[in-house]
Every structure is written in structure tokens, then in C-alpha cells.
Amino acid sequence: AGVPRHPAGAQPSWVTLEPPWTPVFLHEKVTLTCRGPGTPGPTEWYEDERRWQQAGSDPVSVSKGRTGSSSYRCRSPGAKLSPPVTLTFSDDWVVLQVPARVLLEGDALPLRCRG
């Protein structure tokens, strides 16, 4: 099943990450939390535009054993689908990490070097 349409007039949900950086090392755990103005209830989760098996859980943990990127979206009850957040998983020895959130022109860009 693909990503469903959102309720008309609803406010969007958004995904927060802990830690909030990308790329992520292989096997490193990242916690995704769905935030939104909706009412309490089960959260819908999508990975690469497909319904995720952990639907209903909030927060959820992500860890990958292979390199590559995946995008994540969520929808809290009564809210619109969140914008996608992309996580890249790396097996490099050292990575230059950036915040895994949308930045606007003029925003400061914090960088983090990790090995």
C-alpha cells in the first residue's frame, strides 16, 4: 500500500530524530518520533513511500546493516502526512554529518565530524 491522501484542512505531522544527524553509521540506532497536532492514537509510518511494518508505534527505532538511503514519513491521527526525512547509512571510517532536517537559506549549517 502506498502513501494515502491526507485529511483536508489538517495540519502536517513532522518527524524528529535522535540523534538528529545524517549520514548514520551502519548498525547505529536512530529513534524517529512523530509530532503533530492530531489527537492521540496509532501513528502511521512510511519507509520509502510504503507502509512500514512498525505502524502504530511511536517512537520507532531504525538501524540498517547495509549502505544506502531511506526516507521516512509519519502521520499522527487527524494530521497530514509529514514531509520526508532522509537518512543515509554509511560504512565509511569517518563521516561529515549534517542535520537531518530541512534548512532554509540563511540558516546556520552545523557540521559534525565523526569516526
Side-chain angles (χ1 to χ4, degrees), residues 1-4 15 30 32 44-55 60-75 81-89:
V3 176
V15 177
V30 178
L32 285 66
E44 295 176 6
W45 284 99
Y46 299 86
E47 180 181 38
D48 298 326
E49 302 300 321
R50 290 184 304 270
R51 184 105 184 210
W52 197 10
Q53 74 269 12
Q54 295 190 45
V60 295
S61 293
V62 176
S63 180
K64 298 273 182 164
R66 58 176 169 71
T67 60
S69 297
S70 291
S71 67
Y72 299 91
R73 300 176 87 176
C74 74
R75 182 168 59 191
L81 194 63
S82 71
V85 171
T86 300
L87 286 178
T88 300
F89 299 87

Side-chain angles (χ1 to χ4, degrees), residues 7-11 13 37-39 42 75-80:
Q11 297 295 313
S13 301
T39 58
R75 182 168 59 191
S76 59
K80 288 183 183 179

